[in-house]
Amino acid sequence: MLSELFAERAGDYRAGVHHCTEAELPGVLAGLLAGASAVVVPPGLPQAWTRDLAGPQLPDHGLTPADLDAPGLSVLTGCAAAIAETGTIVLDTGPGQGRRLLTLVPDHHVCVVYDDRVVADVPDLFAVLPDPTRPLTMISGPSATSDIELDRVEGVHGPRRLDIVCVHADAGKEPR
Amino acid sequence: MSRHLPIVAVTPFPAAAAHELKDAQLRANLGRATRTIRDKRARVVAEVPDWEELRERAARTKDEVLDRLPELLARFERAAAAAGASVHHAADAAAANAIVAELVRAQGADRVVKIKSMATQEIGLNEALAEAGITAIETDLAELIVQLADDTPSHILVPAIHYNRSQIREIFAARMPGFSAESDEPAVLAGAAREYLRRTFLSAEVAVCGANFAVAETGSLVIVESEGNGRMCLTLPGTLIAVVGVEKLLPRMADLGDFLRLLPRSSTGERMNPYTSVFTGVTPDDGPRRLHIVLLDNGRTKTAQDPVGRAALRCIRCSACLNVCPVYERTGGHAYGSVYPGPIGAILSPQLTGQDAGANSSLPFASTLCGACYDVCPVKIDIPEILVHLRQTGPKPAAERAAMATLSWVMRDRRRWRGALRAARTGAVPLRALTRRRGGTLRRAPWPVSAWTAHRDAPLPPPESFRDWWRRTHAE
């Protein structure tokens, strides 16, 4: 199963990986975002995803970098595709993903990945993207560096926490 | 060009290496770091069943780029311009630096934030901008360390590989305003860099980057990075200037599939680096409003004309060849005197500058020709072959030329050669008794043989040649 490999590989690079069904999704998101001072909401995000959020929401009507640098912010997005072999999520600024800086400046990113968005490996990606000339951002785990003694440590300039919610078509973690 | 280019070695490699080898701390730091990265790379490469085919295909794609370079450049330029980018051409370092300085000045800015870029290091952009009154701020952690230490990079991927964590803490404590941490944990040091640079990112007006790949079909640029400093520079400032070597082209977007599988595994030993950005021209309300792309030649077209040496232009700057090189591991990057160190630097620097520049003709000799670099190269550059080619074609000292011409004259004729061997055997007779206890080898000899005996023993010629022995023992 591609989605299982994706979840395992995303976990290898210290993204938080969670599993749920479509029906459980709003509750899972509310739990992950409970500690946020506010949640940044890109245009086109399905309304059901934000239904159970308790705290304030910040829809993107031209948020500035300074707005996004406020402490405790989280951002919630979908993705254009995900790559199983490398545990990568791919954003293309399409609906529910928003401008590139929305997923960059806040310190916490929660990304929803449906099973059917997962492709096997990097070369398969370019076949499924609707328009590869949109700005693309491929994300594999939280921001990291290997610049000190070539040892990987998480948390430099991008979000220091990345949570990935894998939505499976059927109940629980069972394959379809 | 009056200024000294950062790809021209000033000191010949043997002298520079002898100096660096005295630094035991450097060797310990390098040994540990390169061992770590070699193991990581080997693990993730072993996961890819079609690795050899992948290398083969990537090499062919890059050769296609070199074969079709003018056509693909024109195609890239058209596509990028159609997407809203302005494209500039720079024949050499001075031209590229002048274009960038002028573009920054046109925005009324006196500083730029930078993504780590080998192309801008190759042309000495930071120094040129400083002369124009513009401050360049490196935002990659390792580049920042090197910049704060007022040092030069020693590795393509990890320019601060020659420092360990406690040395980095000391550099931060001395040079980074507001740094006060006692700990030298990498996470603490990375956190300090985040705090230090965040305000800079939010207020920067101009960013400068290179590119890992440039897609001819669509006019897109690709930036592969880890920390997110790249994404900051690509999305926050209103003006973005990319300095891109012409060999960075790929014909098609789909070619990225192969190269994004090869590059992270070969460079940081990861299946995929944390962030890869692909962008095409300018996008309304997202990222910079102005994108300038400076296409840099700086010796590349000339290098592409050498049928053997041109393969060096396939290089995707992964640095796997540095990490496996027994010479690099001991001397470090500074000994090469160029921002391109290690095996790839030994073939790239002298070709880009011409072998008569500075001490660059000494670089092709900075190798044992063991071939480890060729084995790990993701685009199958036969580095040993090019090293030998450059040794053959490079300038030679007059004494060496004369010695080789004489030797060649002697060896061309069987009687001359036999006579020379006989003379050598006769000359060695008095030495034989003296060196008997050391197995008949000479430890120290007068010039010019001293060039050999300074580092190794010289064997004496055997008392009898094979032909003489055969004639003596097999006489009918």
Side-chain angles (χ1 to χ4, degrees):
Chain A
M1 264 302 277
L2 286 183
S3 62
E4 280 167 14
L5 179 62
F6 165 73
E8 179 202 316
R9 294 285 162 91
D12 279 357
Y13 286 143
R14 315 228 186 121
V17 180
H18 315 269
H19 298 270
C20 68
T21 63
E22 178 91 58
E24 294 161 345
L25 180 61
V28 169
L29 293 175
L32 286 171
L33 293 162
S37 62
V39 177
V40 177
V41 177
L45 197 78
Q47 280 185 346
W49 296 8
T50 52
R51 197 182 61 206
D52 293 355
L53 297 189
Q57 298 175 21
L58 275 181
D60 178 27
H61 303 301
L63 291 169
T64 65
D67 294 337
L68 293 165
D69 195 36
L73 278 196
S74 294
V75 59
L76 172 62
T77 72
C79 65
I83 304 168
E85 185 69 30
T86 57
T88 304
I89 54 173
V90 183
L91 309 185
D92 72 351
T93 72
Q97 300 165 49
R99 298 181 295 150
R100 284 176 287 174
L101 79 169
L102 299 189
T103 53
L104 173 63
V105 185
D107 209 11
H108 181 209
H109 179 193
V110 178
C111 182
V112 176
V113 179
Y114 281 85
D115 273 355
D116 61 2
R117 289 287 162 103
V118 183
V119 300
D121 206 344
V122 191
D124 307 295
L125 173 70
F126 295 96
V128 300
L129 290 176
D131 176 6
T133 66
R134 285 187 198 162
L136 302 180
T137 309
M138 304 180 195
I139 301 174
S140 313
S143 158
T145 183
S146 303
D147 280 353
I148 301 169
E149 300 178 5
L150 281 171
D151 209 7
R152 180 169 165 136
V153 294
E154 277 78 24
V156 200
H157 302 294
R160 284 183 281 197
R161 285 188 300 143
L162 172 67
D163 280 303
I164 295 175
V165 183
C166 300
V167 185
H168 304 287
D170 228 344
K173 285 190 205 173
E174 296 305 308
R176 275 176 287 194
Chain B
M1 254 172 293
S2 58
R3 193 152 14 85
H4 159 71
L5 266 186
I7 51 171
V8 178
V10 178
T11 313
F13 182 82
H19 175 76
E20 298 291 331
L21 282 169
K22 290 184 192 130
D23 187 343
Q25 179 70 63
L26 173 76
R27 279 212 307 287
N29 293 353
L30 278 171
R32 185 168 50 237
T34 52
R35 232 176 357 259
T36 307
I37 193 76
R38 280 199 301 267
D39 294 348
K40 282 171 71 181
R41 178 199 164 274
R43 266 199 306 277
V44 293
V45 165
E47 283 178 7
V48 182
D50 58 340
W51 185 256
E52 286 308 315
E53 292 149 52
L54 203 52
R55 293 174 72 204
E56 200 68 62
R57 204 159 55 227
R60 276 202 306 271
T61 305
K62 277 294 187 183
D63 285 347
E64 179 192 347
V65 169
L66 296 178
D67 289 339
R68 298 172 56 198
L69 197 53
E71 172 207 338
L72 290 175
L73 274 174
R75 184 140 191 223
F76 175 84
E77 182 169 353
R78 272 199 309 276
S86 310
V87 180
H88 312 257
H89 294 266
D92 57 24
N97 289 334
I99 292 169
V100 176
E102 188 49 45
L103 290 170
V104 177
R105 230 182 267 122
Q107 293 305 317
D110 62 359
R111 57 174 202 164
V112 299
V113 285
K114 278 190 71 203
I115 307 181
K116 177 176 156 36
S117 141
M118 291 311 299
T120 62
Q121 287 193 6
E122 170 188 327
I123 61 176
L125 178 65
N126 292 7
E127 295 74 16
L129 289 178
E131 280 170 22
I134 299 161
T135 308
I137 303 163
E138 293 289 354
T139 64
D140 170 76
L141 178 56
E143 290 283 359
L144 178 70
I145 294 164
V146 168
Q147 196 175 43
L148 287 173
D150 208 10
D151 195 0
T152 53
S154 70
H155 189 277
I156 291 175
L157 174 74
V158 196
I161 195 170
H162 53 297
Y163 293 121
N164 65 22
R165 58 185 73 187
S166 65
Q167 293 170 311
I168 293 169
R169 200 205 71 86
E170 280 163 33
I171 293 165
F172 279 14
R175 303 288 178 86
M176 183 187 278
F179 180 87
S180 59
E182 292 297 323
S183 164
D184 61 5
E185 274 303 304
V188 172
L189 298 171
R194 177 188 171 96
E195 296 306 317
Y196 174 66
L197 286 174
R198 180 126 307 210
R199 273 157 294 147
T200 310
F201 284 131
L202 295 183
S203 61
E205 294 165 58
V206 181
V208 175
C209 67
N212 292 95
F213 306 103
V215 181
E217 176 184 47
T218 55
S220 314
L221 297 179
V222 183
I223 304 274
V224 174
E225 55 139 348
S226 294
E227 298 170 9
N229 64 307
R231 292 179 68 196
M232 290 279 177
C233 293
L234 296 180
T235 49
L236 297 183
T239 301
L240 176 62
I241 304 168
V243 180
V244 183
V246 293
E247 86 287 12
K248 294 279 139 187
L249 281 173
L250 291 179
R252 300 153 292 263
M253 186 70 99
D255 295 322
L256 279 177
D258 286 341
F259 285 89
L260 291 179
R261 289 178 76 200
L262 287 165
L263 178 55
R265 286 185 171 88
S266 300
S267 80
T268 50
E270 295 165 308
R271 294 186 192 112
M272 191 59 121
N273 50 292
Y275 299 129
T276 298
S277 297
V278 183
F279 57 99
T280 309
V282 291
T283 308
D285 300 321
D286 190 344
R289 293 178 295 283
R290 286 165 297 276
L291 171 63
H292 293 276
I293 303 173
V294 182
L295 294 171
L296 174 72
D297 192 299
N298 207 31
R300 286 161 173 76
T301 307
K302 191 184 56 134
T303 304
Q305 277 150 17
D306 182 327
V308 178
R310 71 187 312 215
L313 295 176
R314 291 181 197 156
C315 175
I316 56 174
R317 313 284 189 264
C318 72
S319 67
C321 62
L322 277 59
N323 301 330
V324 298
C325 178
V327 176
Y328 177 89
E329 186 180 348
R330 285 160 183 83
T331 65
H334 289 154
Y336 297 80
S338 162
V339 298
Y340 296 120
I344 185 63
I347 60 172
L348 205 51
S349 310
Q351 292 202 92
L352 292 179
T353 61
Q355 290 220 57
D356 47 359
N360 274 9
S361 63
S362 73
L363 295 177
F365 294 87
S367 168
T368 63
L369 303 179
C370 76
C373 47
Y374 180 34
D375 289 343
V376 296
C377 178
V379 286
K380 279 191 101 159
I381 302 171
D382 190 341
I383 296 178
E385 183 194 20
I386 301 178
L387 287 167
V388 172
H389 170 69
L390 294 176
R391 290 179 185 186
Q392 286 165 345
T393 52
K396 306 269 187 309
E400 185 184 328
R401 274 204 310 271
M404 287 300 168
T406 311
L407 200 58
S408 148
W409 179 80
V410 171
M411 292 174 99
R412 263 198 308 262
D413 179 275
R414 194 159 69 88
R415 266 176 316 174
R416 285 201 289 263
W417 178 234
R418 206 166 51 203
L421 289 182
R422 196 172 300 133
R425 279 198 301 277
T426 312
V429 169
L431 294 170
R432 242 177 259 295
L434 292 171
T435 59
R436 178 150 307 136
R437 280 202 313 193
R438 293 186 221 122
T441 56
L442 214 53
R443 290 267 169 93
R444 222 166 288 135
W447 189 89
V449 187
S450 61
W452 177 274
T453 55
H455 299 288
R456 355 166 163 63
D457 293 347
L460 292 176
E464 187 176 28
S465 76
F466 176 79
R467 280 169 179 279
D468 290 347
W469 170 82
W470 186 268
R471 217 173 281 125
R472 182 164 61 77
T473 55
H474 291 71
E476 291 297 314

